[in-house]
Amino acid sequence: MRKCFITWYVRTGKKGNDAIMELEVNGEKYVESDNIINGFQEHFSSLATFNEKTRIDSRYHNLVGDDIHSINKLVQQNNIKNVTSEEIKRAIRSINRGKSANYHALPIEESYRESKDDNISLYLVLLDAKAAFDTITHIHMLHRVFLSGIDDGHWGLIKDQHENTKSVVKWEGNISQPFLVNQRVRQGGILSTNLYKLYINQLLQLLTMYETTGAGYKVGNISVDSTACADDIALISSLTLLENFQKKS
């Protein structure tokens, strides 16, 4: 696991006090501005590089890589369909229409109200995926994008936005050497949140406990046992259903 720590301290001398910053990256210390930028470059370039030692199904990983080559050929045959200015205007007008700011909290709130009305105990587990946006492998993300139905030139545009991209670190007016980015989505990018959702959706499907084990929760006839907003995931289950699952196990 990569670790990065920043320490500020004050050095007292004859000419007064100086604020000193020390950067520690994976056990190695960097001091002074010219050296600190190298530490930041080491840290962020390692985050942007796929680690071959990552616990992943290597056979599946290689198969996905092969699929990407085939998908790239397929999508080149499907041109992007033209849209009219009226369609664009309608899409802009419909953005966030009728949605409240706490839209993603509704399943949890409704589960709580219903369990209280029915006098049923409720379990809520909140998961926060660590460095979620920084650990998305591009080929797996592109694979999920294609499987979601984006199989025309739009897929190629998303691929071009992430393939062979480079980044730099700017620190106190200095710019580091560029480094390749072969994993993560862009922080603050317009598509980044939606691309992450596509990437993580398979996990949410696996966590849909009610349909497979009966250990989740439903509001009416709607399963709400796993809900997510970006990298925040909530797992919901009632005590009764959880006990039934444990008995089955």
Side-chain angles (χ1 to χ4, degrees):
M1 180 183 296
R2 305 294 301 182
K3 295 183 179 180
C4 180
F5 302 99
I6 300 177
T7 305
W8 289 91
Y9 61 93
V10 177
R11 180 174 61 188
T12 303
K14 294 181 180 180
K15 296 183 180 181
N17 298 333
D18 294 325
I20 306 297
M21 194 184 85
E22 180 181 274
L23 178 68
E24 182 178 333
V25 179
N26 206 34
E28 185 173 349
K29 294 183 179 180
Y30 299 84
V31 185
E32 306 299 339
S33 295
D34 293 342
N35 201 22
I36 284 175
I37 194 172
N38 295 328
F40 277 126
Q41 181 195 24
E42 164 66 19
H43 175 65
F44 288 110
S45 64
S46 65
L47 284 178
T49 303
F50 176 71
N51 188 348
E52 296 293 341
K53 295 181 180 179
T54 302
R55 294 177 60 184
I56 191 172
D57 186 333
S58 58
R59 181 175 177 274
Y60 175 73
H61 179 69
N62 293 332
L63 288 173
V64 169
D66 293 338
D67 280 352
I68 291 299
H69 293 296
S70 300
I71 291 170
N72 192 37
K73 294 178 181 178
L74 286 172
V75 299
Q76 289 178 5
Q77 302 172 13
N78 299 330
N79 295 325
I80 298 175
K81 297 178 181 179
N82 293 326
V83 296
T84 65
S85 58
E86 185 59 33
E87 288 176 314
I88 295 175
K89 291 177 182 178
R90 285 202 302 268
I92 293 174
R93 288 196 297 266
S94 66
I95 292 176
N96 291 331
R97 179 184 294 168
K99 296 180 180 178
S100 63
N102 64 346
Y103 174 77
H104 295 284
L106 286 177
I108 298 175
E109 182 179 350
E110 292 302 318
S111 299
Y112 168 74
R113 289 177 177 175
E114 184 159 308
S115 65
K116 188 175 181 181
D117 292 340
D118 296 338
N119 196 26
I120 298 175
S121 297
L122 194 72
Y123 278 115
L124 173 64
V125 178
L126 300 176
L127 305 176
D128 183 13
K130 185 177 181 181
F133 283 63
D134 294 329
T135 55
I136 291 179
T137 309
H138 288 168
I139 62 170
H140 290 275
M141 177 194 70
L142 291 169
H143 195 248
R144 305 277 170 79
V145 169
F146 178 79
L147 294 178
S148 72
I150 301 175
D151 56 2
D152 58 9
H154 288 101
W155 186 91
L157 288 174
I158 296 172
K159 177 177 176 288
D160 290 342
Q161 284 183 329
H162 293 86
E163 191 176 61
N164 296 323
T165 56
K166 294 183 179 181
S167 184
V168 297
V169 175
K170 185 175 181 180
W171 174 257
E172 293 189 345
N174 299 317
I175 298 177
S176 72
Q177 292 295 318
F179 52 87
L180 279 172
V181 179
N182 59 23
Q183 69 175 16
R184 76 186 308 189
V185 290
R186 296 181 179 184
Q187 295 290 338
I190 295 175
L191 293 177
S192 295
T193 302
N194 289 324
L195 291 174
Y196 178 78
K197 289 177 182 178
L198 288 174
Y199 185 82
I200 202 68
N201 191 55
Q202 190 173 18
L203 173 61
L204 295 179
Q205 291 173 346
L206 291 173
L207 293 174
T208 303
M209 300 175 291
Y210 192 89
E211 302 298 332
T212 55
T213 66
Y217 194 76
K218 280 193 171 184
V219 174
N221 62 351
I222 301 174
S223 176
V224 293
D225 46 19
S226 62
T227 182
C229 179
D231 56 345
D232 295 315
I233 301 173
L235 305 180
I236 308 171
S237 180
S238 70
L239 177 61
T240 304
L241 291 173
L242 187 61
E243 287 176 340
N244 289 338
F245 171 61
Q246 290 173 338
K247 290 177 181 177
K248 293 178 182 178
S249 302

